[in-house]
Amino acid sequence: MGEKRSLKTEMPDEKGGKEKETRGEHAEEKEPKINKVKTAGMAAAIAVIAISLCFPGNAYLTKTGVKTVGVLAAFLIMLITEALPVVVTSLIFCGLMPVVGVTPDLGTALTGYSEPIVFFTLASFGIAAAMTTIPLSKRILRFMLKTFGKDIKSVLFTVMAACALFSSIVSNVPTCAIFMSISLEFIKVYEREDERRRTGKAFMIAIPVSSMIGGMMTPAGSSINLIAISQLEKYNGTTVSFVHWMCAGIPLAVVMIPLAWYLAVKIYKPAPVSKQDIRQFIDSMDIPRQMEKKEKKVLAIVCSMLVLWISSSWISMINVMIVATLGCCMMFVPGIEVLDVDTFLHENSWDAFFLVGTVLSISAAMIDNGVSGVIAGLVPSLEISQQALIALTAVFVFVSLLVIPVASSLLPILAPTLIAVAANAGASPELIMMTAAICACNCYLLPLDTVALITYGKGYYAMTDMAKSTVYLQIAVTLLAALWLPVVGGMFLV
């Protein structure tokens, strides 16, 4: 979320000087509006905390619980309005919790930072940084284009499939950035501006969508998946293995990618391009003919990690997060040295690190202070089928993402309630948490998530353009999850 402003103000070179001048002319008019939103957000957050401090407890919620709700609401307001950078907001609320009495001390307020998922977040971006320094993604894409790239429709499908495949083991953010840059180079084959922009719209919407779809294929594909697993282990004492998650996520992605491609082609109508232009683009891709040593080293480490991740489904000693952490560290070892500290520190998403840590801390405070229990108690016992509960969970998560468009924040907050609701309904908490994570991964109804903002900032499509196709995708995810996840649960979670 911290990237939203800078991403939105970037405009593609293809727009020409006229639009850049227009942007410059109106910069002074827009800046006060942005400042007003941030100021209003900060004022609202302060007001919410002040009210929570004055509001007495009741028979359902103690005064400490009321203050916890106030801190949570204020934190979300600060994130959504971007009143301060994400890192600053996260640190402020860690320090604020003991001050207002939500936690007894600062150590308790920082409990979220002791969760393994926080350091998996660092490791995953380190692995992504190493992957982006080698041409592996381009090599995969070139091979697929040579094989399947016959026209613009097949090129778009190939880019989406390669993006989803890469995203299954690499974080969505760098994956989206890599394939966006490749696509921006490709659309330069168009001489006419209107054709370039029409095709650019299709690619710029399809890339974040496919990277998020790919992210749900494996637990390592997105930190959201591992947040769901860690919350499940913490509050229910059960887990979902790497292979079991793959059995759920991969079939969904196999259906969703062709559907997303079909909708992109039908709705955004990319302009035709000749086979010769496609061939020239393939030939222009700057990729060494043979794999260099650095590329082989990274590939060997990642493949070893994948083998260990899959093995963790049967060997309890192997932990997915430990494998990721040690795999990242291997990139620095003398003799391998495919990653240096400066690159690691620069490329890492510190916003994600601090955001996840603080959200987990607030989530723990909600449990300790009885807030989650009250919320779960307000939800009536649902005597419905597991399929219906999965569908209802999917709809609830998608609606919640419109209010709280920060998926990594939403999931820890919802986890205790979702697990309790599943237990009360006699449904599988594992399937409900998988549903929540899968839907949170598909946060693309509007370009509000950081992944979608990467391409939205290039100016090829308006805010509402994305929803013209993605609303159908979210409906499809809801139906597919309700149909397929109970089948997976019947095979593995018995």
Side-chain angles (χ1 to χ4, degrees), residues 436-492:
I438 286 170
C439 293
C441 283
N442 288 272
C443 181
Y444 43 54
L445 182 61
L446 295 170
L448 300 174
D449 184 81
T450 303
V451 180
L453 282 169
I454 293 173
T455 61
Y456 176 68
K458 292 300 176 182
Y460 281 93
Y461 62 95
M463 180 73 69
T464 54
D465 286 334
M466 181 169 268
K468 293 176 183 177
S469 64
T470 55
V471 64
Y472 300 108
L473 293 176
Q474 291 193 336
I475 293 172
V477 169
T478 301
L479 296 176
L480 289 170
L483 293 173
W484 177 241
L485 291 186
V487 176
V488 175
M491 290 189 294
F492 302 115

Side-chain angles (χ1 to χ4, degrees), residues 155-170:
V155 169
L156 178 59
F157 182 81
T158 300
V159 170
M160 292 178 69
C163 183
L165 180 64
F166 201 72
S167 184
S168 66
I169 56 173
V170 177

Side-chain angles (χ1 to χ4, degrees), residues 19-250:
E19 289 194 22
K20 291 181 180 179
E21 290 173 8
T22 303
R23 184 185 66 178
E25 291 171 3
H26 296 288
E28 294 182 0
E29 297 175 12
K30 291 183 179 179
E31 188 65 26
K33 184 178 180 181
I34 295 174
N35 287 339
K36 285 180 180 179
V37 171
K38 293 184 176 183
T39 303
M42 191 175 298
I46 293 171
V48 167
I49 292 175
I51 291 171
S52 70
L53 293 177
C54 299
F55 202 90
N58 53 46
Y60 300 99
L61 196 60
T62 65
K63 184 171 180 61
T64 304
V66 173
K67 289 188 286 187
T68 305
V69 173
V71 166
L72 171 63
F75 180 68
L76 294 175
I77 290 170
M78 292 282 284
L79 288 179
I80 294 168
T81 60
E82 296 182 311
L84 292 171
V86 173
V87 173
V88 178
T89 298
S90 299
L91 290 175
I92 285 176
F93 277 81
C94 283
L96 188 63
M97 282 194 281
V99 171
V100 299
V102 169
T103 60
D105 49 50
L106 182 60
T108 308
L110 294 172
T111 53
Y113 287 86
S114 64
E115 296 282 348
I117 183 62
V118 177
F119 291 92
F120 170 82
T121 302
L122 285 181
S124 63
F125 275 95
I127 295 165
M131 295 283 280
T132 56
T133 61
I134 61 173
L136 183 61
S137 57
K138 290 185 178 180
R139 194 178 297 280
I140 293 171
L141 181 59
R142 185 176 67 177
F143 170 77
M144 294 177 69
L145 284 174
K146 282 185 175 180
T147 307
F148 305 108
K150 308 302 180 185
D151 54 27
I152 187 59
K153 294 180 181 179
S154 61
V155 169
L156 178 59
F157 182 81
T158 300
V159 170
M160 292 178 69
C163 183
L165 180 64
F166 201 72
S167 184
S168 66
I169 56 173
V170 177
S171 176
N172 297 344
V173 174
T175 297
C176 182
I178 290 169
F179 283 89
M180 179 189 71
S181 63
I182 294 172
S183 299
L184 288 174
E185 287 298 313
F186 172 76
I187 63 176
K188 289 180 181 179
V189 302
Y190 292 96
E191 295 183 0
R192 292 178 51 184
E193 176 69 12
D194 60 327
E195 292 183 344
R196 185 184 305 127
R197 296 202 59 76
R198 177 155 52 101
T199 307
K201 177 188 290 187
F203 276 84
M204 293 302 103
I205 291 175
I207 287 169
V209 167
S210 54
S211 67
M212 285 189 266
I213 291 174
M216 70 181 181
M217 292 170 68
T218 72
S222 172
S223 60
I224 293 170
N225 301 337
L226 286 173
I227 288 175
I229 293 173
S230 66
Q231 296 293 285
L232 189 62
E233 292 173 345
K234 183 175 182 179
Y235 298 121
N236 196 56
T238 57
T239 190
V240 178
S241 72
F242 201 91
V243 167
H244 295 168
W245 192 290
M246 289 173 65
C247 289
I250 291 176

Side-chain angles (χ1 to χ4, degrees), residues 290-308:
Q290 299 293 329
M291 280 193 178
E292 299 176 346
K293 286 184 178 180
K294 184 177 181 180
E295 189 174 357
K296 291 179 180 178
K297 291 174 182 177
V298 173
L299 189 59
I301 292 172
V302 172
C303 288
S304 299
M305 290 169 58
L306 186 58
V307 170
L308 290 171

